[in-house]
Amino acid sequence: MCGIIGYTGPDPALDVLVDGLATLEYRGYDSAGVAVVAPGGNGLSVVKCAGKLSNLRAALDGQALPGTTGLGHTRWATHGHPTDNNAHPHVDASGDLAVIHNGIFENYADLKAELAADGHTFTSDTDTEVVAHLIGALREQTGDLADAVRAALHRVTGAFALAVIDRRDPTAIVAARRAAPMILGRRDDASLLASDVAGLIAHTRDVEALLDGQVAVLEPGRVTVTDLDGNPAEGHRYHVDWDVSAAEKAGYDHFMLKEIHEQPRAVAETLLRRTDADGRIVVDELRGGPAVEDDLRHVDKVYVVASGTSYHAGMVAKYAIEHWARIPVEVEIASEFRYRDPLLTPHTLVVAISQSGETSDTIAAAVHARDQRAKVLAISNVVGSTLAREADAVLYTRAGPEIAVASTKAFTTQIVALDILALYLAQLRRALFPDECRDHLARMDALPMLMQQVLEQEPAIAALARQFAGAGYVMFFGRHVGLLIALEGALKLKEISYIHAEGFPAGEMKHGPIALIEDGGPVVALATRGHVRDKVVSNIQQVKGRGAVVLAVATDGDTEIKQHADHVVYVPEVHELLYPILTVVPLQLLSYHIAVVLGRDVDQPRNLAKTVTVE
Ligand code: M6R
């Protein structure tokens, strides 16, 4: 989603801004722009245009916009098309202020009408320009930019992270947030801001996440934070410990491919230090908070809430927690959960899963649950993220930065984290014997090595991708935990190849979707060994009988499946609940190679954003 970068310090701002925007490209965007203020009140330069950062570089055409304070923005359109005019920064009526913004000002239409009645005219369709005019008008009244921003924010509704610069005060940036991330970077000679830490780590690792309703004034080497009424406040300060190389491609053609191949290491990290000397499962993160262990012992219902790929990972909790810990589990799309009236009590555990920890739908679901006195456990990959801060406890997946829009290593590490949670709950509540818990966890230790074996089949999967790339529609089906991989396999394929793909419970095919099968139409079936394997084979026969070409994902040694499927990809044998961690890997590779054959923008597919911070 929109990327924000800001700098005030001793160096020319433009290079810092453009380089910072490049590190945020992975978030997904459709236009980009920069604004720089020159010293001595001499000028505000704004350059912006639709399209990728390369278009902005071309528009800048080697100009060195003068000034050491500035803002940069990559926009993911919400109000109005991705055009030059709608790109950020937006200026106010005086032309003195430039504003960038991530999020949605929900009451912008009312504010626009009010400002228009006062003579304001607008050049874009955006909510941001309206708020730029509002801040500008209030700036004339208050005489101070920070006061004007605070006054404006009392009048707006919605979620936002915004930053403003002012020609009349060319060394300051005013920033604010409500329900959208805004991270400040502190250095002795400079201050920076960004929508996520990836934009800052080239400059500093000492960062401060602004909290909801806080306003910051950044000057070179100085940051002052207040609440919306101007009272002194402090954000959440922390040190970033991953290095820049973790966010680079390391010789792979795309971040997605690199991240697929990083999965064995990422899963090993998630599994690290999960037992004590007696072989009991320990989840240090859950020991920390007040009475967390005791709360978990008395949980009588679990809700899992998440979005997209994280939702598919969350589905494993229903199988694992119900099977091992014997607690009823419901898994729900976060944006649906928050708008119904779920029955939540202090004995309800809500597990909110989000790679970024900044997905607005998932955060809102978690906050709703917490307000109803349920216990909220976040599973996130980003230390210090908003979701992590809003939750009672956090289980970090430790996958390292995930840059590609299409989520891969976050997914497998989320499943591993959920399996650990399920076993931990089983141990706490004595639903399993201690040696059973220990054995299950010990089996999981083999997963990184087994994932590596699956990755070694990449050349064969790439060859299959060439055969599937011409398909207009691909169906995926599975049963039990195979279902969640059918859903995830279809999501991966559609998001990066733009081929229409859907996942179904295999048993549902005959109730409708089988009507879509055409001669030669590709179907991917999850058919690993387990109690539903033979049922899936029957479903394969049903679609084969109607002309489908079937690719089965099966267990090593299952040669019989070759009588039913046209192509087979094998994965090693594991406990039935652990198959998703292996079976998703060939489907990630299949989608990746199909997208490459089709020449798609693999890491930044059209219309998508890495972090979805709007509703
Ligand atoms: O950061 P989150 O895990 O909360 O993100 C949730 C979804 O937006 C995300 O998984 C999305 O579906 C990915 N593009 C999937 O590849």
Side-chain angles (χ1 to χ4, degrees):
M1 203 120 290
C2 307
I4 285 180
I5 185 91
Y7 171 83
T8 179
D11 301 320
L14 184 62
D15 290 347
V16 179
L17 301 176
V18 175
D19 291 350
L21 289 180
T23 63
L24 298 175
E25 272 197 295
Y26 74 92
R27 295 169 66 94
Y29 68 101
D30 40 42
S31 54
V34 287
V36 177
V37 272
N42 289 334
L44 171 70
S45 316
V46 177
V47 179
K48 56 184 191 170
C49 56
K52 294 286 180 186
L53 214 46
S54 49
N55 294 12
L56 178 65
R57 286 199 180 96
L60 283 163
D61 194 22
Q63 299 171 68
L65 305 182
T68 56
T69 299
L71 300 173
H73 190 265
T74 45
R75 171 176 185 254
W76 189 79
T78 54
H79 291 79
H81 294 291
T83 60
D84 292 355
N85 274 357
N86 287 338
H88 297 207
H90 288 281
V91 294
D92 74 325
S94 69
D96 286 341
L97 305 186
V99 178
I100 57 175
H101 155 235
N102 180 6
I104 296 174
F105 293 117
E106 287 168 351
N107 60 338
Y108 85 104
D110 293 344
L111 294 170
K112 190 171 188 174
E114 198 182 296
L115 288 159
D118 286 343
H120 289 254
T121 55
F122 300 92
T123 59
S124 78
D125 308 315
T126 66
D127 50 345
T128 311
E129 188 187 15
V130 174
V131 171
H133 279 243
L134 177 64
I135 295 171
L138 292 164
R139 166 84 167 84
E140 296 310 319
Q141 291 169 23
T142 62
D144 176 81
L145 182 60
D147 285 343
V149 168
R150 281 188 282 264
L153 297 185
H154 276 297
R155 301 217 39 214
V156 303
T157 59
F160 55 79
L162 108 167
V164 192
I165 53 174
D166 182 354
R167 189 169 62 89
R168 286 174 280 181
D169 188 359
T171 57
I173 305 174
V174 178
R177 74 154 254 168
R178 183 192 296 156
M182 174 67 89
I183 318 289
L184 314 180
R186 291 168 174 271
R187 238 173 53 180
D188 289 346
D189 59 344
S191 299
L192 297 104
L193 57 82
S195 43
D196 75 57
V197 286
L200 299 177
I201 53 170
H203 303 279
T204 179
R205 278 142 195 291
D206 291 317
V207 302
E208 177 171 358
L210 270 192
L211 305 182
D212 272 353
Q214 292 184 334
V215 176
V217 178
L218 289 83
E219 294 159 296
R222 196 158 79 116
V223 174
T224 315
V225 180
T226 67
D227 65 16
L228 268 192
D229 297 319
N231 302 307
E234 194 172 312
H236 169 71
R237 292 194 192 196
Y238 59 102
H239 185 79
V240 182
D241 54 11
W242 49 271
D243 61 21
V244 186
S245 66
E248 287 171 351
K249 283 188 206 155
Y252 287 95
D253 287 343
H254 297 96
F255 281 111
M256 182 182 177
L257 189 61
K258 176 189 171 223
E259 288 158 7
I260 290 172
H261 281 272
E262 281 174 346
Q263 290 180 107
R265 189 158 52 86
V267 163
E269 285 287 331
T270 315
L271 284 164
L272 208 63
R273 294 184 298 278
R274 295 300 184 192
T275 47
D276 64 15
D278 301 326
R280 286 176 58 80
I281 299 173
V282 285
V283 184
D284 284 338
E285 298 94 321
L286 302 186
R287 281 177 162 176
V292 174
E293 276 200 359
D294 210 40
D295 287 339
L296 291 178
R297 211 169 269 125
H298 295 105
V299 161
D300 58 14
K301 174 82 195 247
V302 177
Y303 281 103
V304 178
V305 293
S307 314
T309 285
S310 296
Y311 167 75
H312 296 153
M315 288 174 74
V316 92
K318 182 160 184 67
Y319 300 94
I321 296 178
E322 290 190 348
H323 181 71
W324 282 329
R326 310 303 291 161
I327 311 170
V329 180
E330 277 185 52
V331 190
E332 195 161 344
I333 295 278
S335 56
E336 289 298 315
F337 179 86
R338 59 185 292 199
Y339 288 119
R340 63 179 186 87
D341 197 9
L343 295 175
L344 301 167
T345 75
H347 295 304
T348 312
L349 174 67
V350 173
V351 181
I353 310 172
S354 170
Q355 186 283 130
S356 60
E358 301 295 350
T359 299
S360 115
D361 289 324
T362 309
I363 293 168
V367 169
H368 174 74
R370 205 196 48 205
D371 290 348
Q372 308 285 312
R373 298 189 306 132
K375 298 287 174 294
V376 177
L377 168 64
I379 294 187
S380 179
N381 192 33
V382 179
V383 175
S385 58
T386 304
L387 180 66
R389 292 198 308 273
E390 295 286 358
D392 295 297
V394 196
L395 191 48
Y396 286 113
T397 47
R398 309 173 185 162
E402 191 180 67
I403 307 292
V405 165
S407 188
T408 53
K409 62 177 179 172
F411 177 75
T412 41
T413 53
Q414 285 164 346
I415 293 181
V416 170
L418 286 164
D419 286 333
I420 293 169
L421 175 68
L423 290 171
Y424 182 67
L425 289 170
Q427 175 182 282
L428 269 184
R429 301 159 64 93
R430 299 172 198 270
L432 291 178
F433 291 112
D435 55 339
E436 288 179 292
C437 291
R438 198 167 38 237
D439 290 352
H440 284 305
L441 199 65
R443 274 190 216 112
M444 289 173 71
D445 282 340
L447 285 169
M449 188 246 308
L450 302 176
M451 293 176 99
Q452 193 57 48
Q453 288 174 20
V454 181
L455 285 166
E456 278 155 21
Q457 299 178 57
E458 184 173 0
I461 296 165
L464 275 175
R466 288 189 282 279
Q467 292 183 43
F468 275 54
Y473 177 46
V474 182
M475 290 178 115
F476 292 70
F477 65 61
R479 288 173 182 249
H480 192 251
V481 291
L483 169 59
L484 65 103
I485 298 304
L487 298 175
E488 175 60 10
L491 177 64
K492 279 292 85 78
L493 184 61
K494 78 178 88 161
E495 58 179 349
I496 59 167
S497 74
Y498 318 147
I499 292 175
H500 185 188
E502 294 301 331
F504 299 99
E508 274 294 291
M509 291 295 292
K510 58 189 175 294
H511 296 292
I514 202 165
L516 295 170
I517 299 287
E518 288 177 345
D519 211 23
V523 171
V524 178
L526 280 301
T528 45
R529 209 164 268 149
H531 70 293
V532 293
R533 182 264 183 205
D534 293 348
K535 304 278 173 206
V536 175
V537 169
S538 302
N539 301 125
I540 292 175
Q541 287 165 337
Q542 288 158 10
V543 295
K544 280 291 294 170
R546 287 155 181 89
V549 172
V550 175
L551 164 63
V553 182
T555 306
D556 274 347
D558 184 355
T559 48
E560 198 264 349
I561 198 112
K562 288 187 177 162
Q563 296 172 25
H564 310 290
D566 302 273
H567 310 280
V568 185
V569 174
Y570 286 106
V571 299
E573 179 146 25
V574 285
H575 184 285
E576 204 169 355
L577 286 173
L578 302 182
Y579 271 118
I581 299 159
L582 300 183
T583 53
V584 75
V585 174
L587 302 192
Q588 293 167 342
L589 287 169
L590 184 72
S591 299
Y592 171 79
H593 284 285
I594 290 176
V596 170
V597 169
L598 295 174
R600 305 299 191 219
D601 188 349
V602 174
D603 284 336
Q604 291 166 42
R606 70 183 182 204
N607 303 339
L608 294 179
K610 180 65 183 164
T611 308
V612 184
T613 49
V614 295
E615 264 199 69

